Amino acid sequence: MSKSFASAGDMEDKEISFTEIGEGLYAFTAEGDPNSGVIIGDESVMVIEAQATPRLARKVVECIRSVTDKPISHLVLTHYHAVRVLGASAYGAPEIIMSDAARAMVVERGQEDWDSEFGRFPRLFQGHEEIPSLTWPTTTFSDKMTVYLGKRRVDIMHLGRAHTAGDAVVWVPDAEVMFTGDIVEYHSACYCGDGHFADWGDTLSAIADYNPVAIAPGRGDALVGEEMVEAALSNTYDFVESTYRPAQRVAARGGSLKEAWDAVRAECDPKFADYAIYEHCLPFNVARAYDEARGIDTPRIWTAERDQQMWADLQG
């Protein structure tokens, strides 16, 4: 087990990549840190995911300015997590879009999540003094909405629960490229602390039904080409199932959270131990899998206090 809680000991800067994954479409990635996406339309730019702070967001803006001087008109937030949304003010986008369910989660648990993630990711929250407040959308949708960036069509959709109850994906039909947020990861652990394990596979299948030729995942390298896309979808499914099924078996026989932890580690360590943020995610993933297996449909709210108590319990 890692000696440091979550990513508290990870203070090393990551190398940034800015990869074109379709005409006028880019993935901003940083060695397993949260990704952002960029869609360049005829007259303006849409950004997907805001980063954790304005300081980090400005790195995305710098990359955007290396390829276009068009204004940033839209910011899409695929879900409510602090590391994804709190840098929003740096973009100056007049439209900030979330699903209805994601906005409801900001209302319900946004501040608690901010406080919790601040303790988990000290490096990502450097410059946190600039964050003005919780990030609120200007526009929400239920199942699907379409934005036109000039002639370029962008579909923003809720295909099902997975990483959170309010996950959105962004589909660019003219290029057959999708931005999936943390529903899909590549050589990075899935964070499942607010997840819905029983639904995740169906949501991955719904993404696969679009037959994307490229995907910008939530973390990890851009996925370019059908072979890489299929491998990432399959690997994400394996990660989620390998986490849930051992915890489910333990819960079914009345076992403890610590027993679930041991069972999940036995299944997942051989396959995923070298993935980015694996040790960070594992305690939250096991706790949520154990809860869901015991019939708790709505994930419990993570707070800084609950984080530390869970960590202490798992260390015995």
Side-chain angles (χ1 to χ4, degrees):
M1 184 183 294
S2 172
K3 293 181 180 179
S4 296
F5 169 65
S7 293
D10 177 9
M11 299 302 292
E12 183 178 345
D13 287 341
K14 308 301 182 183
E15 183 177 349
I16 290 170
S17 299
F18 193 60
T19 306
E20 189 167 19
I21 58 175
E23 185 177 352
L25 306 174
Y26 295 85
F28 174 99
T29 66
E31 296 187 280
D33 276 359
N35 294 343
S36 289
V38 176
I39 302 172
I40 301 175
D42 298 325
E43 299 173 350
S44 67
V45 176
M46 175 183 286
V47 176
I48 300 101
E49 313 293 31
Q51 298 286 316
T53 64
R55 177 186 293 185
L56 286 173
R58 285 193 290 271
K59 294 183 179 182
V60 180
V61 174
E62 183 179 343
C63 289
I64 293 170
R65 292 295 164 242
S66 73
V67 295
T68 184
D69 60 0
K70 294 174 183 178
I72 297 169
S73 58
H74 296 77
L75 175 61
V76 178
L77 305 172
T78 66
H79 58 287
Y80 83 101
H81 284 152
V83 291
R84 297 295 182 179
V85 306
L86 292 180
S89 63
Y91 298 95
E95 292 289 336
I96 301 176
I97 300 169
M98 279 184 179
S99 70
D100 291 333
R103 187 189 186 281
M105 296 182 84
V106 177
V107 174
E108 178 190 43
R109 58 184 70 196
Q111 185 62 54
E112 290 84 355
D113 180 73
W114 181 353
D115 296 341
S116 172
E117 293 200 39
F118 184 81
R120 303 182 204 175
F121 289 108
R123 176 175 52 82
L124 293 183
F125 283 98
Q126 292 175 3
H128 64 89
E129 301 86 357
E130 292 184 80
I131 300 170
S133 65
L134 290 171
T135 298
W136 298 96
T138 62
T139 302
T140 64
F141 68 96
S142 178
D143 298 316
K144 178 179 178 180
M145 68 177 287
T146 297
V147 172
Y148 285 91
L149 301 174
K151 294 180 181 179
R152 181 159 233 178
R153 173 176 172 163
V154 180
D155 294 329
I156 307 165
M157 304 173 289
H158 173 65
L159 298 179
R161 303 190 304 182
H163 175 68
T164 73
D167 294 331
V169 302
V170 180
W171 172 243
V172 186
D174 69 79
E176 299 181 298
V177 169
M178 187 173 285
F179 299 81
T180 64
D182 285 313
I183 301 172
V184 180
E185 311 288 20
Y186 185 68
H187 287 285
S188 177
C190 299
Y191 173 74
C192 311
D194 292 305
H196 294 270
F197 287 93
D199 296 358
W200 206 314
D202 290 340
T203 303
L204 289 170
S205 294
I207 290 171
D209 287 343
Y210 281 82
N211 297 310
V213 299
I215 281 177
R219 293 176 185 265
D221 294 345
L223 309 171
V224 180
E226 294 179 5
E227 183 176 343
M228 200 171 183
V229 166
E230 290 174 6
L233 290 170
S234 176
N235 184 254
T236 300
Y237 180 82
D238 185 29
F239 186 97
V240 171
E241 289 296 296
S242 295
T243 302
Y244 186 54
R245 296 307 173 198
Q248 190 179 43
R249 289 193 292 270
V250 170
R253 60 176 172 77
S256 68
L257 176 63
K258 181 61 168 63
E259 290 173 308
W261 165 264
D262 292 338
V264 172
R265 290 212 76 127
E267 179 74 19
C268 289
D269 282 7
K271 294 189 282 187
F272 309 117
D274 63 341
Y275 278 24
I277 68 166
Y278 175 73
E279 292 291 347
H280 172 117
C281 291
L282 196 63
F284 302 96
N285 294 357
V286 173
R288 173 56 195 153
Y290 184 69
D291 276 356
E292 183 172 327
R294 294 182 301 140
I296 301 173
D297 182 66
T298 300
R300 291 188 288 158
I301 296 174
W302 289 101
T303 65
E305 294 76 19
R306 185 184 170 211
D307 290 354
Q308 293 302 324
Q309 184 59 57
M310 175 269 293
W311 182 241
D313 290 345
L314 289 177
Q315 291 191 104

